[in-house]
Amino acid sequence: MGTVSASRDGTGFQRAFDEHYRDILAYATRRSLAADAEDVAAETFTIAWRKWASVPPVAVRPWLFGIARKVLANSNRGLRRRDRLSAKMASLSERSTIDRSYGEYSDVDQAMAMLRFSDQEIIRLHCWENLSASEIAVVLGCTANAASIRLHRAKHRLGQALATTSGGRS
Amino acid sequence: MSTDDPFDRVRKSNPIDPDTLPGAPLGMANSIMAERKPRRFHITGPARGVASMAFVLLVGALVTTIMLGGSDNPAVTQDPTTTVDDSTVTTTTKPGSTTTIATSGEDGVIAGGPAPWSALPLPQSALPQHLIEDWAAADNQTWCAVLYPADPAALSANGTSRSADFSGGWAVAWDLPGGPGRDTSGAYCADCGRGAYGVAGPDLTGATDDVGVWPDRITWDDGSRAGYGLEGLDQSGSGAPVLSYLLVDGQGCLYNVWSFLGEEHLLTLLDSLRFVEGMQPNPSN
């Protein structure tokens, strides 16, 4: 997104909003209730606008994912607190509105569930959000080299987990 | 094990296609831009960085007062005062004793003064052999000079240097027995001391924007600049190191400098970095 100005101008923000709103909504929808996802997307762009003057111009899209990730984390912390208070032990996966009951990719879901959360997250950022290692580095705030290494290790562990859950089926 | 790329299966399992989602409500972006809620006591713009430094200096001065015995010490009985303007923060802790930090005028950016690497380069004999060999084998040696601390012992008396894995580039990490670091799986450890601090010249080109992702930034007189903060911009206290992206004038790579020992240690490390004789890119290359 090198065309989006980093200056505090509404045109650049409007363009980033138009181009990436659905991406951010999709990211949030995969990880929360649909209604919450809309709130997460709105909060993400509200924060983005407040910080628009500091947006890295070549990395608007991953920068937005980075904000959404923190908004989602805060939201989930709030949900967990609420759940504890109301003694509802619904897991985050149960909260998801995504119907994963179909079987075609159940082995992938099972394999992903075997990985630690940080591995799941970096794989999803790469495969679902179509982010490169250097873009993931912006989201996670680590070096591109570190992101590349973590992605490589996560891929290796995913391959091992898939071998367990799918028995080698392709 | 399947011979397929495991990522392909994950890609195909993506349950949400963004193109199938509804767009944003009409006028939502305009509403966001129109709604600027000022936070109570929230300082923005250039004043934020200046005010933060003023606060740190004020607290430091108070701590110094306490450590020196408070009112028992006549030299520090006067309350510290801090004055702030657009370019400097000045703290007076006692008559005739002031600390002044210059700011660059850019939002939240500290002026670092003369670049540490503008000092005389170190002789190669000051370097561990593994770093000399790593740089000689690095893919980026024609555009990424080695930077090495002038006095490694000043950073830690017990640190032991070793090669670190920054594929394509070069890196030196210091292990610190009993200190914080990252174990071989990459997980934070409180006392394994592995890679407690270090410097890397990865095989990645850097751009000014790369430092802009960090909350704290420094510029030096030669145009070099750095941004730093907790790795992952992590505020959870999970033990993340303080990481700096450093762009050095005349060099093409995005240096990574990190420390698990905190911000002050990272800044000391940055301030100690020097070029090394014979280990700078040859202009004829």
Side-chain angles (χ1 to χ4, degrees):
Chain A
M1 275 309 305
T3 56
V4 175
S5 168
S7 65
R8 194 171 180 81
D9 79 73
T11 308
F13 178 79
Q14 177 76 55
R15 193 161 60 231
F17 182 89
D18 292 343
E19 290 182 6
H20 303 310
Y21 175 81
R22 281 190 173 92
D23 290 339
I24 298 302
L25 183 60
Y27 172 83
T29 303
R30 295 186 196 105
R31 293 160 174 82
S32 61
L33 290 166
D36 291 341
E38 290 175 2
D39 289 343
V40 168
E43 180 67 8
T44 297
F45 281 97
T46 300
I47 293 171
W49 172 240
R50 285 186 198 139
K51 297 184 172 182
W52 191 243
S54 61
V55 58
V58 296
V60 172
R61 188 169 178 268
W63 182 73
L64 289 169
F65 279 119
I67 295 173
R69 179 170 172 263
K70 292 186 178 68
V71 170
L72 204 53
N74 284 334
S75 170
N76 286 339
R77 272 195 289 275
L79 287 173
R80 283 196 292 273
R81 274 197 298 273
R82 200 169 65 198
D83 284 352
R84 279 198 298 273
L85 287 172
S86 61
K88 292 177 181 174
M89 300 304 291
S91 69
L92 287 176
S93 60
E94 288 168 338
R95 288 190 161 278
S96 171
T97 53
I98 301 164
D99 180 8
R100 302 293 284 181
S101 58
Y102 56 91
E104 187 178 4
Y105 297 110
S106 60
D107 61 324
V108 178
D109 289 347
Q110 290 169 22
M112 289 286 279
M114 291 167 67
L115 305 179
R116 59 189 179 192
F117 181 76
S118 58
D119 281 350
Q120 295 177 31
E121 185 64 5
I122 201 167
I123 290 170
R124 287 177 182 138
L125 287 171
H126 181 64
C127 297
W128 289 0
E129 275 33 275
N130 292 317
L131 295 175
S132 67
S134 58
E135 289 173 325
I136 289 171
V138 174
V139 179
L140 302 181
C142 63
T143 66
N145 190 66
S148 179
I149 292 169
R150 285 175 58 185
L151 192 60
H152 180 77
R153 287 174 176 163
K155 184 178 184 178
H156 178 68
R157 285 190 278 265
L158 175 65
Q160 290 178 322
L162 272 174
T164 303
T165 60
S166 67
R169 105 183 179 197
S170 58
Chain B
M1 182 188 296
S2 169
T3 55
D4 287 350
D5 182 346
F7 281 172
D8 284 344
R9 298 270 306 149
V10 179
R11 284 190 190 95
K12 289 171 185 167
S13 77
N14 185 351
I16 299 283
D17 178 356
D19 291 338
T20 65
L21 292 173
L26 200 62
M28 183 175 168
N30 285 332
S31 297
I32 289 172
M33 286 187 280
E35 184 183 334
R36 289 191 219 170
K37 295 177 184 171
R39 294 181 192 167
R40 284 194 303 171
F41 311 120
H42 184 70
I43 303 169
T44 59
R48 183 177 180 177
V50 172
S52 298
M53 280 188 294
F55 178 75
V56 169
L57 288 170
L58 187 59
V59 170
L62 288 170
V63 169
T64 304
T65 302
I66 293 167
M67 290 177 67
L68 290 177
S71 57
D72 290 340
N73 187 333
V76 290
T77 53
Q78 184 172 330
D79 288 340
T81 59
T82 300
T83 58
V84 178
D85 62 29
D86 287 344
S87 59
T88 60
V89 177
T90 303
T91 297
T92 303
T93 55
K94 60 182 179 180
S97 173
T98 60
T99 304
T100 301
I101 293 179
T103 65
S104 69
E106 193 178 337
D107 186 4
V109 179
I110 293 174
W117 33 90
S118 63
L120 286 175
L122 304 173
Q124 277 195 30
S125 58
L127 268 61
Q129 187 61 29
H130 63 77
L131 180 54
I132 295 172
E133 293 171 1
D134 286 350
W135 187 77
D139 295 337
N140 61 357
Q141 64 164 267
T142 57
W143 45 278
C144 186
V146 163
L147 287 174
Y148 194 77
D151 183 6
L155 297 166
S156 169
N158 300 321
T160 306
S161 77
R162 62 173 171 81
S163 293
D165 178 17
F166 270 70
S167 55
W170 54 268
V172 53
W174 278 267
D175 296 336
L176 186 61
R182 237 189 258 290
D183 64 24
T184 52
S185 73
Y188 168 72
C189 65
D191 57 7
C192 70
R194 184 174 175 277
Y197 53 97
V199 184
D203 191 17
L204 292 167
T205 55
T208 304
D209 303 322
D210 291 320
V211 305
V213 300
W214 297 105
D216 296 296
R217 279 162 277 165
I218 307 169
T219 60
W220 287 275
D221 291 351
D222 67 349
S224 300
R225 49 204 300 144
Y228 69 92
L230 288 173
E231 185 181 279
L233 301 176
D234 189 350
Q235 301 297 330
S236 66
S238 63
V242 189
L243 171 67
S244 170
Y245 286 176
L246 169 64
L247 290 167
V248 173
D249 181 52
Q251 305 301 316
C253 59
L254 183 67
Y255 292 93
N256 287 200
V257 186
W258 74 93
S259 175
F260 281 89
L261 304 179
E263 179 181 5
E264 188 176 345
H265 189 264
L266 176 85
L267 295 176
T268 303
L269 175 55
L270 281 170
D271 199 42
S272 74
L273 293 177
R274 304 285 187 273
F275 287 131
V276 179
E277 290 174 347
M279 298 182 75
Q280 298 181 49
N282 185 338
S284 65
N285 286 336

